[in-house]
Amino acid sequence: MAGSAVTNTGPSVITGDLGVSPGTAISGFPPGLVNGAQHSADAVAAQAQTDLVTAFNDAAGQATDGALPADAGGLTLVPGVYTASSTLGLTGTLTLDAQGDPNAVWVFQVGSGLTTASSSQVLLTNGASPCNVFWQVGSSATLGTDSTFVGNILALTSISATTGATIDGRALARNGAVTLDTNTITRPQCAGGTTGATTSGTTGATTSGTTGATTSGTTGATTSGTTGTTTSGTTGTTTSGTTGATTSGTTGTTTAGTTGTTTSGTTGGTTGATTGGSTGGNHGCKPGEYGDYADQAGTDHGYDCDPA
């Protein structure tokens, strides 16, 4: 999902939906392939952007469990909310350890830019799900050549994936462009139902319901029976299909069911070669392509994801 344009060079493959709003430009497909629906400045894309703004602000508002160093490479992090006050780099491998909890959630708050090095990777272990990993980026994100990235990128400005980079998650840019070059973006298959990942006995950025800048019922910037920027029975704009940064099929920054980038009773997060608050600090199941927020004010926020 992009605010101004989605451009592609080479045989990129997107499994999910693709959209742009308020801009209209989508180029490079073909040679790129979208296994889902495309939305150019239509109602679905507009709703997806609205839901993305909600998810972005929700993620940014989470109380932190720990500060990150300038480069997160080499760290092993348990579930929690982690903050980089300015830029964040990733060289080598960042390991996210769910400690056996499939609903474990990670929220990364990056003050300005996120940059990953060539051949770097985000590695999930012990039941961690890409549905529950959120990167809230204060400006733009750049993924290095042949890097392997996991999670949902919620960027204020733009997202650039250089040659050969892969994303197991979603690329959602609010104001700028999403630029691709021979990339593979795959919308995760997320379990349905609401989790309301709560955790007791811990502190840190917590809140009941769930967490992540996203959502229930689906994932990503959108969702609904199928997906799209919305979700049926709840909120958002729906659409069928799958993938892309936009929506239908399942994905999106929106979501049905519930939402919220909050996290309940989460986990402490320290940094170091291993960082992270306490275990049990899971925040629930996260969004599909677009997360829509179905909960009303004063109610519990839960995130769930629906399958493709």
Side-chain angles (χ1 to χ4, degrees):
M1 181 73 199
S4 62
V6 177
T7 63
N8 172 67
T9 301
S12 295
V13 177
I14 296 175
T15 301
D17 302 325
L18 180 154
V20 59
S21 177
T24 61
I26 297 176
S27 62
F29 299 93
L33 175 65
V34 178
N35 294 315
Q38 296 188 41
H39 298 274
S40 174
D42 60 9
V44 170
Q47 183 62 52
Q49 276 292 354
T50 297
D51 295 333
L52 173 56
V53 170
T54 302
F56 181 94
N57 292 337
D58 198 354
Q62 294 296 305
T64 187
D65 290 324
L68 292 170
D71 194 302
L75 298 180
T76 296
L77 302 178
V78 298
V81 179
Y82 299 94
T83 303
S85 59
S86 58
T87 60
L88 178 65
L90 174 56
T91 303
T93 300
L94 168 64
T95 302
L96 305 182
D97 183 359
Q99 300 184 322
D101 181 3
N103 295 318
V105 174
W106 291 261
V107 176
F108 294 94
Q109 302 166 331
V110 182
S112 55
L114 169 66
T115 303
T116 70
S118 297
S119 301
S120 62
Q121 65 173 330
V122 177
L123 179 65
L124 304 183
T125 62
N126 295 322
S129 169
C131 297
N132 300 340
V133 180
F134 303 93
W135 302 83
Q136 179 263 323
V137 181
S139 60
S140 299
T142 301
L143 306 184
T145 302
D146 296 324
S147 60
T148 302
F149 196 78
V150 173
N152 306 282
I153 304 173
L154 314 175
L156 179 63
T157 306
S158 63
I159 299 171
S160 178
T162 59
T163 308
T166 65
I167 302 174
D168 187 5
R170 297 161 184 78
L172 311 172
R174 287 178 54 178
N175 301 317
V178 172
T179 304
L180 307 178
D181 181 359
T182 314
N183 307 121
T184 300
I185 300 177
T186 305
R187 175 183 46 75
Q189 299 302 307
C190 303
T194 308
T195 306
T198 77
T199 73
S200 57
T202 19
T203 354
T206 107
T207 74
S208 59
T210 2
T211 261
T214 103
T215 154
S216 75
T218 353
T219 293
T222 115
T223 111
S224 101
T226 25
T227 291
T229 305
T230 150
T231 83
S232 61
T234 14
T235 276
T237 321
T238 308
T239 85
S240 60
T242 37
T243 282
T246 317
T247 140
S248 84
T250 345
T251 350
T253 300
T254 338
T255 109
T258 357
T259 314
T261 306
T262 68
T263 73
S264 67
T266 34
T267 84
T270 62
T271 311
T274 295
T275 303
S278 53
T279 318
N282 51 299
H283 304 50
C285 183
K286 275 345 118 303
E289 290 273 357
Y290 306 95
D292 68 21
Y293 291 65
D295 289 81
Q296 301 304 311
T299 65
D300 182 35
H301 288 67
Y303 287 88
D304 46 7
C305 312
D306 65 16

